[in-house]
Amino acid sequence: MLDELGANVLEDGTLGFLVWAPLRETVELEILTPVEKTIPMEALGGGYFKAQLSDPGGDVRYFYVLDGSLRRPDPASRFQPEGVHGPSGLVRHTESEWDGSSSELPALKDYITYELHVGTFTPEGTFQATIPRIPYLKELGITAVELMPVAQFPGSRNWGYDGVHPYAVQDTYGGPDGLKSLISACHKSGIAVVLDVVYNHLGPEGNYLGDFGPYFTDRYLGPWGDAINFDGPNNSEVRRFFIENACYWFEKYHIDALRIDAIHGIFDSSEKHFLKEVTDTVK
C-alpha cells in the first residue's frame, strides 16, 4: 500500500505528497509558502506521483502543476484556506490536540440525532460559535449531532451537497481546527458526532478531479451528471480515494459515524459494492 493520498507529515518528520494523476505525463509540486520552490514529482507507476521534502515549518500552501502548465489544488487537499480554486494547505494532525476527558458516548442504536447546519445554526455560522449551544442540545435530549456536509464548497455558505474537496474542511466555518474543537466539545458533553458525506457526485465549481484521472464515468447518468467511476476502468484507485476519505474522518477527526448521502446515486455493479467495501474497511 502506498502512503496516504494528499500532503502528510511522515514518521521521520519530512513532508510527503502523493497524488493519482494517470491522465498526466508529468506532475510538479509548487510550494508557495513559507518558501517558494517547484519540485518534479516522481512517477511511481499506476498513475501515481510522489514527492518528499524537509518540512519548512509554518503555513505550507501548494499547487500541483500538471504537464508543465495546469495549476490545480490537490484532489485530496486537507484544507483550502483561499477557497475551492486556491492553493491547498498542509494540516498537521497530532493526537495531542484531543482531550482525553471525553464522556462516555452513546451506542449507535441510542442516537437521538439533531441535524445541524453549521452555517445557519448561529449568526456567526462557525464551528466555534456552535460550541456554546451544546448545553441547549443536551437539554433537548440530543445524544448525537449530525453535521451536514462540511467538505469545501464554493462561497461562504452552502447546504454542502455540492462540495468539491472531499477531504478539506470548509474554511469559512473555521477549517480543521474549528471542526476539531467542536467535536471535542461535543464528546466532553457525551454527544456523538455524525458527519454527512457525499460520495455520489461533486459540485460543478472547483471540481478539478477530472483533470487528474478518470474519477467520473458516462456509463451512468445521475441527477448531477456523470457518475463517479466505482466500477469502470481504474475504478480501484477511485474507490481508494473515497474509502481513504471515510477512514480519514474517523482517524484524524474522531468522528463517530458517517451518514452517506444519496446512496441511490452511487452506481456500482462490482462483485463487492463500494458501500460494502467502505463498511468493511472502517469497522
Side-chain angles (χ1 to χ4, degrees), residues 219-271:
R219 295 176 62 207
Y220 310 102
L221 186 63
W224 304 277
D226 287 351
I228 292 177
N229 176 27
F230 286 123
D231 63 1
N234 291 294
N235 76 81
S236 60
E237 308 311 322
V238 177
R239 293 165 79 100
R240 175 194 175 177
F241 178 84
F242 288 99
I243 290 170
E244 203 165 289
N245 177 261
C247 295
Y248 176 71
W249 297 115
F250 289 107
E251 294 171 0
K252 303 301 185 183
Y253 286 91
H254 296 199
I255 286 290
D256 301 295
L258 296 176
R259 182 261 178 187
I260 300 179
D261 179 62
I263 59 173
H264 66 279
I266 297 176
F267 301 98
D268 184 5
S269 61
S270 304
E271 182 177 349

Side-chain angles (χ1 to χ4, degrees), residues 19-24 27 62-66 69-77 80 82-88 152-154 162-166 201-216 228 241-242:
V19 63
W20 184 59
L23 300 183
R24 300 298 168 179
V27 181
Y62 65 98
F63 279 112
Y64 290 132
V65 182
L66 309 179
S69 60
L70 194 62
R71 298 169 85 231
R72 291 290 185 254
D74 188 345
S77 170
Q80 289 295 121
E82 299 176 33
V84 296
H85 305 292
S88 300
Q152 188 77 32
F153 50 74
D162 60 356
V164 291
H165 288 281
H201 76 288
L202 276 74
E205 183 181 347
N207 179 0
Y208 296 119
L209 266 66
D211 290 333
F212 289 83
Y215 283 90
F216 304 95
I228 292 177
F241 178 84
F242 288 99

Side-chain angles (χ1 to χ4, degrees), residues 14 34 59 78 83 85 105 134 184 191-193 200 217 222 226 240:
T14 62
D59 181 14
R78 307 311 202 236
H85 305 292
L105 298 174
I134 291 175
S184 182
I191 294 177
V193 181
N200 57 79
T217 177
D226 287 351
R240 175 194 175 177

Side-chain angles (χ1 to χ4, degrees), residues 15 17 28-39 53 56-65 71-74 80-82 85-90:
L15 303 184
F17 297 80
E28 296 168 288
L29 171 64
E30 180 185 10
I31 304 290
L32 305 179
T33 64
V35 296
E36 293 185 18
K37 62 169 67 176
T38 299
I39 304 165
L53 66 152
D59 181 14
V60 177
R61 299 189 186 187
Y62 65 98
F63 279 112
Y64 290 132
V65 182
R71 298 169 85 231
R72 291 290 185 254
D74 188 345
Q80 289 295 121
E82 299 176 33
H85 305 292
S88 300
L90 173 75

